[in-house]
Amino acid sequence: MTLIDLPLYLDISRNAKLLYEKSRFILVVSMAKGLGIKDIGKFKLVGNIDAFGRRLVFQVTEISVEKDDYFSKLYLYDGRKVKPFTSGKKDGNPRFSPDGKLIAFTSKRDKESKEAELYVIPTDGGEARLLTKFKYGIKNLRFTEDGKSVAVVTPVKVEKKPKDDVHVIREIPFWFNGVGWVYGKRSVVHLVDVESGKKRRVTPKSLDVSQVRFHNGRLYFVAQEDREKKPMVSDLYILEGRKARKLTPGKWSVSDFIPLDDGTFILKANTRERGIPTNTHIYHYNPETGELRKLTAGLDRSAYNSLNSDVRGSQRAELVFKDGWVYYVATDGPRANLFRVNLEGKIERVVGGNRSVESFAIGDYIAFTAQDAVTPTELYVLRDGKEKKLTDFNGWIKGYKLSRPEHFKVKASDGAEIDAWIMKPVDFEPGRKYPAVLEIHGGPKTAYGYSFMHEFHVLTAKGFVVIFSNPRGSDGYGEEFADIRGHYGERDYQDLMEVVDEALKRFDFIDEERIGVTGGSYGGFMTNWIVGHTNRFKAAVTQRSISNWVSFFGTTDIGYFFAPDQIGGDPWSNTEGYWEKSPLKYAPNVETPLLIIHSMEDYRCWLPEALQFYTALKYLGKTVELALFPGENHDLSRGGKPKHRVKRLELIAGWMERWLKG
């Protein structure tokens, strides 16, 4: 029965209608609903594609709120259909052998062991075979050209293990977010024999390896030589016998590469002319002459995906060189697309659209995973210019009512244009006034845009308008736009306030007396900054934030180089500057009720950033609460334990409801 069949119907609530038919009233309730917090357990995270010919192998991760864990398995596409391929609960990181007959992958099938396990399995099916285990995990893997070995990048101890539990530290960084203690460890390459499982280390322990490739029987790799004094420098090396020879000059940050037959290289690198705001580009490099040619000079964009999402799969977007073209992902404004560039510097957009390309691989055709603001990640192929969606792991979401972001441009007071969006409550009714939440992304050199944010949909389902934008400092708009070094809390802060001003002008359903603000990492810093500089917001939630640049410098994994780059100098040469840019200085000004959310193992913005801001505000008699998550790190919102992720969203939504709806 449809409404048009009936002579009379009356709206009695947002989700119900009172229908009159045949002398009786019938109550019809709409079953479509917005996304709930615990719906996070329904998402399937698709990623880590590899390709061989017409075949694809990829990883699908499930989020179990009930078991408070993540489970992943491999799927295979044979050119006709997608089917489950492995049966383990922690299978991932698949790689085809050069002949396509085997797939190597990582797993954790031994319940008694905490070590990472390396397996191989026949592509045509059969039992997976354990090759070996690695105590400190597997960071990367790739078959040798002959397929007889698998190269594994894995951390090892370079110092003798102490006989007691005392940490004697002689270097920085001493820990790293999501990893833990890293002092006395370096990542090296082991070659693992596919038949016997025997392994041998082939790169020196003095180098910290991140990427490895083979070409014409030779092993090339990317590594850091001095992460203490040159933490933003990584170089390309070639292994000659037992020795490694550096091929790049020791001043760039190389993240990926492709060796070419003529002895030159394609590099994905950052030359750091503008420090951290410098865009990563694709280069052609000749190690004999030292000539470095920027192939992507015609596109002032970062050659990676910097869009924010809290429900994405494992991203693998390594460079691919095929038929004279280098394929790569780049962030272009609020979208991340697949591009290609040739050796003459001609750039083409291969997979476009208002979406986020997450991973890709190329065999007989292009395969990629992608998401957008209302569609979680799925697997697609591009053949002969025609795109086809292969999977529907997240098809369940079609039964939910989602708010689609509405884009608007803000002309800032200095003339720059800022991309901004609002999302209406899912049960929006014209004529009503709604509370709103301003969301601020981290980085600052990341971006919001056409990617899926479960958090935003949770808030719109609870009756909030969500406002988000890409202020100065964001990625995707060129280096000048991203460069706010030495000027935190200035133009970026103005942009955000002007976005809110413009939203209030354009959208009269936003109640300007009921606006909250939240953000994490840099967004947490900015939330702290905002509540110390304006009282226009009636509620705030700061997450994994920075409150004091001096303590950030000395206690975190990146502070000793990030703070000098972003603030300028160090706490001794620029004491006043560090304090001026610290939200802690402005604690006496805070009048907005503030909830501080922080992970207890967040080594990117360590726990003291939350503790000292909380203590200061309590001491000053402000309205503040502190929520600490044990066992979690900086990535709580996107990779924390499922029950903690649920609790975090409950805290955010609850705080906003308390102060904006109460």
Side-chain angles (χ1 to χ4, degrees):
M1 182 182 297
T2 62
L3 293 179
I4 58 174
D5 297 323
L6 304 171
L8 176 66
Y9 65 94
L10 300 169
D11 291 330
I12 61 173
S13 78
R14 286 176 288 172
N15 296 313
K17 296 181 184 298
L18 191 63
L19 310 182
Y20 181 75
E21 181 190 41
K22 296 180 180 179
S23 303
R24 62 176 181 168
F25 286 99
I26 303 172
L27 180 65
V28 177
V29 180
S30 172
M31 298 304 292
K33 61 178 181 178
L35 274 179
I37 291 173
K38 291 186 178 180
D39 288 326
I40 194 170
K42 296 180 179 178
F43 287 93
K44 304 294 187 296
L45 313 179
V46 187
N48 268 349
I49 320 171
D50 199 22
F52 181 85
R54 60 186 172 83
R55 285 174 160 168
L56 303 172
V57 63
F58 59 98
Q59 176 180 335
V60 178
T61 302
E62 298 182 8
I63 306 171
S64 174
V65 176
E66 180 183 354
K67 295 182 179 179
D68 202 23
D69 203 354
Y70 297 83
F71 301 101
S72 60
K73 64 175 64 176
L74 303 184
Y75 283 74
L76 188 72
Y77 175 65
D78 60 8
R80 297 185 303 274
K81 62 180 181 179
V82 173
K83 58 184 179 182
F85 187 61
T86 62
S87 57
K89 294 183 178 181
K90 299 279 186 177
D91 299 342
N93 306 305
R95 293 278 193 186
F96 280 107
S97 61
D99 61 6
K101 294 181 179 180
L102 290 175
I103 294 172
F105 66 97
T106 61
S107 191
K108 287 188 177 180
R109 300 187 176 193
D110 184 350
K111 295 180 180 178
E112 304 302 318
S113 174
K114 294 183 179 180
E115 296 181 318
E117 303 160 0
L118 177 66
Y119 285 82
V120 290
I121 186 172
T123 305
D124 289 332
E127 292 296 320
R129 180 165 54 89
L130 174 66
L131 291 184
T132 189
K133 300 178 181 181
F134 291 92
K135 184 175 182 179
Y136 298 113
I138 296 173
K139 298 173 70 173
N140 205 343
L141 62 95
R142 192 183 302 274
F143 276 93
T144 55
E145 291 172 294
D146 59 11
K148 294 181 179 180
S149 300
V150 179
V152 174
V153 179
T154 181
V156 296
K157 281 278 190 180
V158 297
E159 295 179 0
K160 290 184 179 180
K161 186 177 180 181
K163 296 180 180 180
D164 52 34
D165 58 359
V166 177
H167 294 274
V168 179
I169 303 172
R170 302 180 180 88
E171 62 179 358
I172 53 174
F174 40 83
W175 55 24
F176 199 82
N177 186 69
V179 178
W181 296 110
V182 295
Y183 74 91
K185 290 180 185 175
R186 297 293 185 272
S187 291
V188 300
V189 178
H190 278 85
L191 291 182
V192 181
D193 185 270
V194 170
E195 292 300 322
S196 67
K198 291 182 179 179
K199 58 190 175 187
R200 61 188 177 93
R201 178 176 57 82
V202 295
T203 59
K205 291 183 178 181
S206 59
L207 298 174
D208 198 26
V209 180
S210 57
Q211 175 64 295
V212 60
R213 290 182 185 264
F214 296 89
H215 187 69
N216 292 335
R218 312 196 78 172
L219 187 156
Y220 299 88
F221 62 96
V222 171
Q224 276 189 299
E225 183 177 18
D226 189 346
R227 63 189 189 191
E228 180 172 308
K229 294 181 180 178
K230 294 183 177 181
M232 291 193 285
V233 172
S234 52
D235 284 289
L236 175 64
Y237 291 82
I238 181 174
L239 189 67
E240 298 177 330
R242 294 185 177 182
K243 295 184 178 180
R245 179 165 63 91
K246 189 189 300 183
L247 300 177
T248 45
K251 57 183 180 181
W252 310 324
S253 177
V254 180
S255 53
D256 198 5
F257 66 96
I258 298 175
L260 302 181
D261 289 336
D262 63 359
T264 62
F265 296 84
I266 301 298
L267 299 183
K268 179 179 174 181
N270 194 306
T271 51
R272 300 297 185 194
E273 288 99 337
R274 298 181 84 145
I276 291 172
T278 310
N279 282 335
T280 294
H281 280 278
I282 309 301
Y283 295 88
H284 184 215
Y285 175 62
N286 187 332
E288 295 297 321
T289 65
E291 180 187 7
L292 183 72
R293 197 159 49 88
K294 187 187 293 185
L295 299 179
T296 51
L299 185 64
D300 184 18
R301 300 290 185 265
S302 293
Y304 53 78
N305 185 335
S306 56
L307 296 185
N308 285 264
S309 172
D310 52 7
V311 285
R312 66 174 15 129
S314 299
Q315 291 174 288
R316 179 187 287 168
E318 297 173 329
L319 297 179
V320 174
F321 186 69
K322 189 176 179 67
D323 300 328
W325 293 90
V326 183
Y327 291 78
Y328 69 101
V329 171
T331 302
D332 182 22
R335 59 193 65 82
N337 291 164
L338 181 63
F339 292 83
R340 68 179 187 177
V341 61
N342 63 19
L343 295 181
E344 286 71 51
K346 181 181 179 182
I347 302 171
E348 294 181 352
R349 196 184 303 260
V350 180
V351 177
N354 288 338
R355 56 182 166 179
S356 174
V357 174
E358 301 283 292
S359 302
F360 77 94
I362 303 177
D364 290 346
Y365 45 82
I366 295 171
F368 64 96
T369 58
Q371 59 174 250
D372 62 35
V374 293
T375 311
T377 307
E378 299 290 354
L379 176 64
Y380 303 79
V381 294
L382 183 64
R383 280 192 186 124
D384 303 321
K386 295 181 179 180
E387 186 178 309
K388 180 182 178 182
K389 181 182 178 183
L390 294 184
T391 63
D392 197 29
F393 289 105
N394 293 293
W396 56 269
I397 207 164
K398 296 169 188 173
Y400 284 75
K401 193 173 183 181
L402 301 180
S403 177
R404 184 176 294 273
E406 300 176 32
H407 177 258
F408 63 102
K409 288 278 190 183
V410 178
K411 189 167 185 178
S413 52
D414 66 351
E417 283 196 334
I418 307 299
D419 275 329
W421 296 261
I422 66 149
M423 293 169 67
K424 295 175 182 174
V426 293
D427 293 318
F428 175 79
E429 292 180 2
R432 289 189 61 191
K433 288 279 191 179
Y434 292 91
V437 177
L438 172 67
E439 290 268 6
I440 307 172
H441 66 65
K445 200 172 186 286
T446 68
Y448 279 144
Y450 301 108
S451 53
F452 200 98
M453 288 294 297
H454 175 234
E455 179 179 324
F456 294 4
H457 289 289
V458 165
L459 290 172
T460 58
K462 289 184 174 293
F464 294 98
V465 175
V466 174
I467 306 168
F468 59 102
S469 65
N470 289 329
R472 241 65 64 93
S474 301
D475 200 14
Y477 302 89
E479 288 181 2
E480 184 176 352
F481 190 96
D483 193 354
I484 59 171
R485 291 175 299 166
H487 298 285
Y488 272 48
E490 298 175 24
R491 189 63 253 181
D492 50 350
Y493 168 71
Q494 288 179 262
D495 285 351
L496 289 163
M497 295 304 99
E498 290 170 10
V499 163
V500 175
D501 292 341
E502 184 65 22
L504 289 170
K505 289 179 185 176
R506 288 174 178 251
F507 310 107
D508 60 5
F509 50 82
I510 298 175
D511 186 343
E512 66 177 323
E513 297 300 320
R514 294 189 293 157
I515 303 178
V517 59
T518 187
S521 197
Y522 162 81
F525 157 83
M526 181 52 67
T527 299
N528 295 343
W529 186 267
I530 284 171
V531 298
H533 287 78
T534 179
N535 296 327
R536 74 183 300 179
F537 297 94
K538 300 303 183 286
V541 180
T542 182
Q543 307 167 61
R544 59 187 191 278
S545 70
I546 296 171
S547 65
N548 184 344
W549 285 103
V550 176
S551 56
F552 173 81
F553 174 95
T555 62
T556 67
D557 56 359
I558 65 171
Y560 68 101
F561 65 88
F562 186 87
D565 182 85
Q566 298 291 286
I567 303 303
D570 56 42
W572 301 275
S573 64
N574 187 21
T575 305
E576 184 177 347
Y578 270 62
W579 185 237
E580 284 293 320
K581 296 301 179 185
S582 294
L584 186 62
K585 175 182 178 179
Y586 308 98
N589 301 339
V590 175
E591 298 298 334
T592 306
L594 179 67
L595 172 63
I596 301 172
I597 294 177
H598 217 93
S599 296
M600 295 178 71
E601 294 179 14
D602 184 345
Y603 302 140
R604 184 62 38 83
C605 299
W606 196 35
L607 189 56
E609 298 306 308
L611 297 181
Q612 60 192 309
F613 203 44
Y614 172 74
T615 299
L617 293 175
K618 286 298 286 185
Y619 175 81
L620 294 167
K622 309 298 183 178
T623 302
V624 61
E625 292 183 14
L626 174 64
L628 300 179
F629 285 79
E632 300 293 355
N633 61 53
H634 199 66
D635 299 321
L636 166 63
S637 65
R638 51 215 177 215
K641 294 177 182 178
K643 288 183 179 178
H644 280 164
R645 293 178 67 173
V646 167
K647 182 64 176 180
R648 170 188 164 272
L649 289 171
E650 288 174 345
L651 286 169
I652 294 170
W655 192 259
M656 295 302 177
E657 288 180 319
R658 174 179 169 184
W659 295 103
L660 302 183
K661 291 183 177 182

